[in-house]
Amino acid sequence: MSTDDRAAVTTGIARLHASPGLAGPGRLGLVTNHTGVLADLRPAAPALIEAGARLVALFGPEHGLHGTGQAGRSNAETVRADPATGLPVHDTYRCDAEELDTLLLESGVDTLVYDLQDIGARFYTYVWTMFDLMLSAARTGVRFVVADRPNPLGGLVSEGPSLEPAWASFVGRTAIPVRHGLTCGELARHLNASAVPQAVGAPAELTVIEAVGWKRGTDAYGTGLPWVAPSPNIPTPATAAVYPGTCLFEGTNLSEGRGTTQPFEIVGAPYIDARFAPALAELALPGVRFRDMRYVPAFHKHAGRPLRGVQLHLTDREAFAPVRTAVAMLATLRRLYPDDFAWRTTDGGAEGTGHRHFIDLLWGSDRLRRLVDADDDPLPLCAPPAPPGRWAGDHVLLYG
């Protein structure tokens, strides 16, 4: 029996493929990329057309339709039409509200179907593509459908503080925790009941096509579904598991492992020495061990330079708290290397952020940076992991 035959979960897009009428009448647009596949790995767009869906346009997020763009890129300049279907591809990345409204209106779609594989972290931009398009759908009268997929981290816990409004950006539009614990469908329900009406005066006409068979305690390893890397630097479920924490290193002068085969599972810098791994081991953080290692990134920070750092080895996925772990690592770095450790600032080009500290945008406030810089304990900022209903409300939950 094949893995596909044994799949425990039926995704929303698979249900739509089986019953195209679930999206409602009219012309459909599909927000998709390389992760938009069925359990047998067929791309969803041509499969939906073959099933009789009136698909007329595709919309791509960061990293592009085929997932080849690195962080901050969409490869829009190289993809104008989908070679598999001939449909026009509309690049949504870095579009403002007026541009998105124009895309929707000119595309001629009646309903926009969203099908991207999220990884459960606030700063992963796919959910903000969803949010921005929900706002546009509410303004233009286009129906919005989320073809839901499992949260690869599971859905039992959320972790980290909510974003404060002053720090909103495309790595966090509204007040949700760092690790939100919801599926995209659940998050869409939450946003449509709160942030969407606040922004445009009314909710979008939202439908969620639920994934069948997913339970909140099931992570990516237990779904029976094939893993398709959501972006170039999330190659495995293990990467996704650490990302809600180690993505914070994007806001520092350490390499977060981009340019290697283990992005986000390793961090390092030219100034790290033999003290770092033992200092982390002394913290006895749950569910993880740290291995002293050396590596040379092929690109991104410190490209071509020998670095020393650590690899995170998960020993207990349920006990591991990625956000708390990364915060403890940041505090340890500041203590051990006060003259070398530094925060990165934004380039001032995107979102009108100016030269603010990128860590503040990732964290959702400046509190973490200020505590670490003052050599105060930042761990109280990390409340114990809690059920996602604690912050989102049980009424948005779709799965048990």
Side-chain angles (χ1 to χ4, degrees):
M1 184 178 291
S2 71
T3 300
D4 297 334
D5 293 335
R6 292 186 283 107
V9 174
T10 302
T11 61
I13 201 68
R15 294 184 61 207
L16 181 60
H17 173 255
S19 302
L22 289 174
R27 295 159 297 185
L28 304 182
L30 182 62
V31 186
T32 190
N33 64 4
H34 61 293
T35 66
V37 296
L38 305 179
D40 61 4
L41 294 175
R42 280 183 296 164
L48 288 174
I49 293 173
E50 292 172 5
R54 292 184 63 190
L55 191 60
V56 300
L58 304 179
F59 297 80
E62 183 182 9
H63 307 297
L65 184 68
H66 300 118
T68 56
Q70 283 291 332
R73 298 180 180 274
S74 63
N75 283 359
E77 69 280 2
T78 62
V79 180
R80 296 297 182 184
D82 174 32
T85 63
L87 294 177
V89 178
H90 302 282
D91 178 37
T92 69
Y93 186 54
R94 295 189 183 275
C95 287
D96 62 23
E98 182 178 354
E99 291 168 332
L100 287 179
D101 290 357
T102 299
L103 285 182
L104 289 193
L105 291 171
E106 292 185 349
S107 71
V109 303
D110 303 298
T111 299
L112 201 56
V113 178
Y114 175 92
D115 178 42
L116 295 172
Q117 179 60 66
D118 182 43
I119 64 170
R122 184 179 69 216
F123 23 69
Y124 206 64
T125 63
Y126 292 171
V127 296
W128 304 120
T129 292
M130 179 181 74
F131 176 63
D132 287 352
L133 287 169
M134 286 176 66
L135 295 175
S136 187
R139 288 190 297 264
T140 60
V142 171
R143 295 189 300 272
F144 199 88
V145 174
V146 177
D148 212 7
R149 291 179 175 270
N151 184 324
L153 306 182
L156 291 178
V157 299
S158 61
E159 189 186 1
S162 285
L163 176 139
E164 297 179 8
W167 305 99
S169 73
F170 199 50
V171 291
R173 291 286 199 217
T174 66
I176 68 173
V178 172
R179 177 183 176 183
H180 53 73
L182 302 181
T183 67
C184 285
E186 292 173 328
L187 185 58
R189 281 160 57 96
H190 168 72
L191 295 171
N192 204 44
S194 55
V196 174
Q198 291 173 12
V200 300
E205 185 181 340
L206 173 67
T207 298
V208 178
I209 304 175
E210 298 176 31
V212 174
W214 186 67
K215 302 294 183 183
R216 306 206 76 83
T218 304
D219 63 13
Y221 294 96
T223 64
L225 296 171
W227 176 261
V228 178
S231 56
N233 290 292
I234 309 290
T236 69
T239 320
V242 299
Y243 176 84
T246 51
C247 182
L248 294 173
F249 285 88
E250 289 189 4
T252 74
N253 64 349
L254 278 84
S255 158
E256 63 273 10
R258 294 181 189 271
T260 77
T261 59
Q262 295 172 302
F264 298 107
E265 294 182 64
I266 62 178
V267 298
Y271 56 82
I272 300 298
D273 58 23
R275 295 175 292 165
F276 189 38
L280 295 177
E282 290 178 4
L283 300 177
L285 296 165
V288 63
R289 291 179 179 170
F290 300 92
R291 180 177 67 88
D292 180 48
M293 66 171 300
R294 293 166 173 79
Y295 65 98
V296 179
F299 59 86
H300 204 57
K301 296 181 195 171
H302 307 300
R305 298 184 63 185
L307 308 182
R308 189 169 186 172
V310 295
Q311 179 179 358
L312 286 74
H313 292 263
L314 302 194
T315 58
D316 186 334
R317 295 198 303 271
E318 293 185 5
F320 176 62
V323 178
R324 188 178 187 87
T325 298
V327 168
M329 294 172 70
L330 291 170
T332 302
L333 284 161
R334 172 61 79 187
R335 175 173 57 85
L336 292 178
Y337 312 105
D339 296 328
D340 297 302
F341 175 80
W343 307 106
R344 294 177 66 213
T345 57
T346 63
D347 61 11
E351 302 291 336
T353 54
H355 294 283
R356 294 198 289 178
H357 290 92
F358 191 51
I359 188 66
D360 298 348
L361 302 184
L362 293 169
W363 187 252
S365 78
D366 61 357
R367 296 182 182 184
L368 174 61
R369 175 175 56 83
R370 291 186 180 280
L371 282 176
V372 171
D373 283 349
D375 206 22
D376 289 337
D377 182 9
L379 289 180
L381 296 176
C382 305
R390 184 81 56 85
W391 72 268
D394 291 334
H395 64 282
V396 308
L397 303 184
L398 293 167
Y399 310 92

